[in-house]
Amino acid sequence: MNACRIRFWQAHSGICSRTVQHPDSQVNALEFTPDRQLLAAGGYQHIRMYDVNATNPNPVINYDGLSKNVTCIGFEKTNKWMFTGGEDKTAKIWDLRVRNIQCQRIFQMNDPCTCICLHPNQVEMMVGDQSGALHLWDLRTDHNEQVVPEPDVPIRTVSIDPDASYMAACSNTGNCYVWSLVGGRGNDRVRLKPKTKVPAHPRYALKCQFSPDSCLLATASADKSVKIWNTADFSLRTTLSTENQQWVWDCAFSADSQYLVTASSDGAARLWSVDHGDVKREYQGHQKAIVSLAFYDGSAPV
């Protein structure tokens, strides 16, 4: 994805199978629906949803009238609702089961929302904001608590591993904070216990993502690299970097946790081998920075 164009790539062949225009604004976030039928794109004051399996270049669903930039998008695992966050200082829940999709609930913050991660229990959300706060929002009761790892330092990204054992969040200073997760089953709310602080990068950390097998954590940065950490002890496993790579804005693991796809300011997306640390394929064709991606390798959600 770049400022005005979204490209669909075949990961194994490197062939661009489809290009759709997104002329309204830059695209800040991309995410597939859980059934892989639609691709959601968040931009300035809107969300567009494209049919993945059609050749129609136009969005099939439009959400207009939002305020400011939509910065993050995600879905409940059975496709009942969508969540978004944005510069309007809110996290929103959208009911996807009604014909005229409407905003169902709003979580109001004092600062712009930078990131959201839905807990695997599907009833609690971690919401990060520009002030450096992480809000734990219980959707059952509307109860919320917050933790501030670095006051006045924006939280840029947050991720929870599929086993619901750890939560990681990265900040503008490049630090990665890790908490152990306790509870979160039945009616028991999730509790955070500080695990470790990893000085992951010397510049902005832009994305963190746990692997599907929960064994790895990837952190992407403005220092032009991605680092892979072992979750057993959060030691550095490998660093992914190449000569032409610039800021790395986004990344996603393959379903088997053996590969990582990255999006970079140099206009290229790359497929990396996690074990060998080398580039297996480059996806060239964008004329501007690639700042977001969505990846599905045909096996399981990534």
Side-chain angles (χ1 to χ4, degrees), residues 220-279:
S221 172
D223 69 4
K224 307 178 184 181
S225 76
V226 177
K227 293 186 178 180
I228 307 294
W229 309 86
N230 297 302
T231 57
D233 56 4
F234 290 94
S235 61
L236 181 62
R237 173 168 176 165
T238 188
T239 299
L240 309 179
S241 63
T242 187
E243 183 179 355
N244 296 325
Q245 186 164 262
Q246 298 298 314
W247 288 30
V248 185
W249 289 92
D250 204 354
C251 64
F253 280 96
S254 60
D256 61 7
S257 303
Q258 298 299 305
Y259 299 92
L260 188 79
V261 179
T262 59
S264 173
S265 289
D266 60 72
R270 295 178 175 88
L271 177 69
W272 302 79
S273 166
V274 172
D275 284 339
H276 299 98
D278 60 338
V279 177

Side-chain angles (χ1 to χ4, degrees), residues 47-58:
I47 301 164
R48 304 280 183 253
M49 300 185 78
Y50 299 86
D51 189 329
V52 171
N53 300 306
T55 57
N56 181 6
N58 300 312

Side-chain angles (χ1 to χ4, degrees), residues 172-212:
N172 269 8
T173 58
N175 289 321
C176 180
Y177 295 86
V178 182
W179 292 264
S180 296
L181 301 183
V182 181
R185 291 174 174 81
N187 294 321
D188 190 16
R189 288 202 303 263
V190 169
R191 301 181 299 281
L192 306 180
K193 290 191 173 182
K195 172 72 174 177
T196 189
K197 172 186 173 182
V198 180
H201 299 275
R203 300 185 65 186
Y204 303 118
L206 301 171
K207 180 73 174 185
C208 65
Q209 185 69 52
F210 283 101
S211 60

Side-chain angles (χ1 to χ4, degrees), residues 9 34 43 48 60 103 143 154 196 217-218 221 241 244 293 296 302:
W9 299 87
R48 304 280 183 253
V60 293
C103 179
H143 175 83
T196 189
L217 173 68
S221 172
S241 63
N244 296 325
L293 64 83
Y296 173 56
V302 175

